[in-house]
Amino acid sequence: MALLPQDQQSKVMLLITIGMVGLGWGFWTYWEQPTGQQIDTARVEIDSLQRIVDRAKQDLASGTVEDLRRKVEEYTSLLSVMRRLVPEKNEVPALIDDISTKAKLAA
């Protein structure tokens, strides 16, 4: 066994070296890799949020925010008209009775 050291000091140094390699492997496996993955995940999320912020800045600069507000006001007014035209749940039976009554009178 020429590979293994024969004197006491070399054996201790070999054990220390093996222990340090084990500690390095444990550090890499249980701390560095998970932390790196968390950093990568955070970086992807930050990039996507930055794209959203950039798009919002472009919209603000081009004036489309005002267009959106105007469209929201238009849709709100259309919704109020639709609410007047479409019967509510409790109005439907009365409408059905009125329709059937007028159909009987017309027949």
Side-chain angles (χ1 to χ4, degrees), residues 20-64:
M20 293 304 287
V21 168
L23 283 174
W25 176 81
F27 171 77
W28 177 260
T29 302
Y30 296 109
W31 191 81
E32 178 63 29
Q33 282 182 341
T35 304
Q37 291 171 352
Q38 288 175 349
I39 290 171
D40 291 340
T41 303
R43 199 172 278 146
V44 167
E45 186 175 353
I46 288 170
D47 290 343
S48 67
L49 291 173
Q50 187 62 42
R51 282 193 296 271
I52 291 170
V53 168
D54 291 341
R55 273 190 244 131
K57 284 180 181 178
Q58 288 175 353
D59 289 345
L60 187 61
S62 65
T64 57

Side-chain angles (χ1 to χ4, degrees), residues 56 92 103:
V92 172

